[in-house]
Amino acid sequence: MAAIEFSGARKLYGQSLAIKDIDLALPEGAFVVILGPSGCGKSTLLRMIAGLESISGGELRIHGQRMNEREPKDRGCAMVFQNYALYPHMTVGENIAYPLKVAGVSKDERKARVIEVAQALELGALLERRPGQLSGGQRQRVAMGRAMVRQPKVFLYDEPLSNLDAKLRVQMRLELRRLHEKLGATSLLVTHDQQEGMTLADYLVVMNGGVVEQVGTPREVYEKPATKFVAGFLGAPAMNLLPAVTDPSGRNAVFENGPATVMAGRLEAGRELVVGIRPEHVGEGTLPLTVELVEDLGHAALVHGRLSGGAAVQLVRPVERAPGRGEKIGIGFDPARLHLFDGRTGQRLEAHAVAENHEAVSQPRVTTH
Ligand SMILES: Nc1ncnc2c1ncn2[C@@H]1O[C@H](COP(=O)(O)OP(=O)(O)OP(=O)(O)O)[C@@H](O)[C@H]1O
Ligand SMILES: [Mg+2]
């Protein structure tokens, strides 16, 4: 059974549709990361699960039970926000125990649970301190503890790491993952940071403009982006996305005003598409490229150039073999490394494989996913 399941779920704010008929089933015990640009509806979706936003249409089920009308406190979810306001006048221990106190749990049980949680979070030595006497990461852990203490079945995190500095973020990322393994609950984390998504998630849900563009493991989403949007959103430096049209043979993609590259299979002739290739996959070859700028990334050089037809291309080269600005070099695209997307819909295309000598046979077929 899915831990969390949306069927045709939507959210209207006045006239505007923030969540557009989403179907989504998230497996129990998984770490799921909802990833997408600002304003795409990530927080809204999370708040709909927590019960902090009403559901305008469709259904939400948690562990098989309809939740649309349930009070937030009866949903078995704990939410950790970006601004995890701790009570400054309370000690760490009191902060963690607070939700239990509100729920009327006895003093002895509160104490036992706080000790348990503090142990898991390595806060045992800090229970008597106040939030003002803690580092950012420690405060973060106290906020986590406050969520954990009620032993929820589902943890909901809305950008929990975005207030931390870069180093602490990485450290807390590891801690979140470790905690998840230890607790075995379902975790749902919202972020616009693709690296956070890639590293934390068992499953990524990539959102854009109120719709889910793709669900999959980070590997799947990275290696086989379902749409042009996902292709451009995941990966740094970002994938090159070059508009092109197939030639009469259907085997080559011709870039605007410019050179052509061979595809791994065949599409219909004259098809408008977008050819994607990651900068780290750009090889050497015969496509003429003029280098406009070279950025030293430390471990590699990022080369910005233009094909003869004018299309901008970025590629990664070892620093010691990086070309200079203004230099003309030859690049090539390995057909197996290309990602093809429909020029109009942005949906992924799979070029149809054809054996060399089957030139004249059958209609070219196109499969979309
Ligand atoms: N209370 C509200 N009333 C009206 N519109 C809202 C409300 N809350 C959010 N929206 C709109 O709904 C859309 C989705 O907002 P949401 O907060 O879910 O985005 P997000 O993906 O979490 O973005 P961010 O990464 O910036 O936090 C946005 O266009 C936003 O302006
Ligand atoms: Mg948000």
Side-chain angles (χ1 to χ4, degrees):
M1 190 199 304
I4 296 167
E5 197 171 357
F6 279 113
S7 333
R10 48 165 56 195
K11 176 70 193 179
L12 269 165
Y13 287 119
Q15 297 293 313
S16 84
L17 205 50
I19 298 292
K20 300 172 186 164
D21 303 321
I22 283 185
D23 292 310
L24 190 65
L26 306 174
E28 199 169 342
F31 203 123
V32 179
V33 174
I34 302 177
L35 187 64
S38 182
C40 73
K42 305 180 296 296
S43 296
T44 301
L45 198 68
L46 209 65
R47 293 168 62 82
M48 285 161 76
I49 297 170
L52 303 174
E53 293 289 355
S54 63
I55 297 168
S56 316
E59 194 176 56
L60 163 70
R61 287 184 296 279
I62 299 182
H63 298 116
Q65 295 190 3
R66 181 180 162 97
M67 286 290 144
N68 295 45
E69 295 79 21
R70 290 260 186 108
E71 291 291 317
K73 66 175 173 46
D74 300 329
R75 295 191 182 199
C77 302
M79 188 139 167
V80 182
F81 297 93
Q82 176 178 343
N83 297 311
Y84 42 89
L86 301 174
Y87 301 109
H89 57 285
M90 292 185 193
T91 65
V92 167
E94 286 163 351
N95 264 285
I96 295 175
Y98 190 73
L100 297 180
K101 195 170 172 186
V102 173
V105 174
S106 75
K107 199 170 177 185
D108 286 347
E109 193 178 341
R110 281 198 319 254
K111 200 169 167 191
R113 294 261 282 275
V114 168
I115 288 172
E116 206 176 279
V117 166
Q119 237 163 19
L121 292 168
E122 291 169 34
L123 289 169
L126 306 174
L127 286 175
E128 296 308 317
R129 292 218 201 152
R130 287 178 205 283
Q133 301 165 307
L134 301 175
S135 74
Q138 289 165 339
R139 278 202 284 267
Q140 179 78 46
R141 274 184 277 159
V142 178
M144 286 282 312
R146 205 168 51 180
M148 275 166 63
V149 78
R150 294 189 64 191
Q151 300 171 320
K153 292 216 172 64
V154 178
F155 282 95
L156 305 171
Y157 301 101
D158 196 350
E159 309 246 6
L161 308 180
S162 57
N163 279 349
L164 308 175
D165 67 44
K167 198 170 159 204
L168 201 55
R169 270 178 96 117
V170 175
Q171 196 181 322
M172 282 308 295
R173 203 163 78 194
L174 288 171
E175 289 203 23
L176 268 186
R177 185 69 226 194
R178 208 176 311 142
L179 206 63
H180 171 79
E181 317 265 319
K182 193 156 20 177
L183 300 175
T186 308
S187 300
L188 219 73
L189 180 142
V190 158
T191 182
H192 57 262
D193 181 333
Q194 49 141 332
Q195 203 185 25
E196 216 163 278
M198 286 295 291
T199 53
L200 269 174
D202 295 319
Y203 296 97
L204 275 180
V205 176
V206 185
M207 285 185 69
N208 182 31
V211 302
V212 171
E213 296 256 338
Q214 188 169 7
V215 182
T217 64
R219 248 313 99 203
E220 282 164 2
V221 175
Y222 184 80
E223 283 176 357
K224 235 178 175 190
T227 64
K228 188 179 96 169
F229 171 81
V230 175
F233 192 71
L234 239 86
M239 188 189 284
N240 294 292
L241 292 168
L242 311 168
V245 180
T246 54
D247 72 353
S249 79
R251 291 166 182 278
N252 301 296
V254 186
F255 300 119
E256 276 174 335
N257 322 306
T261 195
V262 65
M263 300 181 295
R266 187 171 173 185
L267 295 171
E268 73 216 51
R271 172 132 197 177
E272 285 177 32
L273 72 162
V274 172
V275 175
I277 186 154
R278 297 204 181 275
E280 56 273 31
H281 294 155
V282 174
E284 286 169 12
T286 54
L287 300 175
L289 182 102
T290 307
V291 175
E292 292 188 331
L293 184 73
V294 180
E295 286 179 289
D296 190 342
L297 303 179
H299 65 287
L302 181 61
V303 179
H304 301 257
R306 259 175 217 285
L307 286 177
S308 49
V313 176
Q314 299 185 12
L315 47 134
V316 173
R317 287 286 178 269
V319 178
E320 61 281 5
R321 288 204 292 115
R325 192 171 165 178
E327 207 173 306
K328 289 186 172 26
I329 60 171
I331 62 167
F333 302 148
D334 175 356
R337 295 287 201 183
L338 294 182
H339 302 262
L340 308 177
F341 303 98
D342 186 280
R344 268 179 285 259
T345 65
Q347 294 293 313
R348 185 179 187 88
L349 299 174
E350 294 303 339
H352 184 52
V354 255
E356 274 310 313
N357 52 2
H358 281 192
E359 198 80 29
V361 186
S362 76
Q363 296 278 85
R365 282 205 347 245
V366 175
T367 320
T368 54
H369 286 268

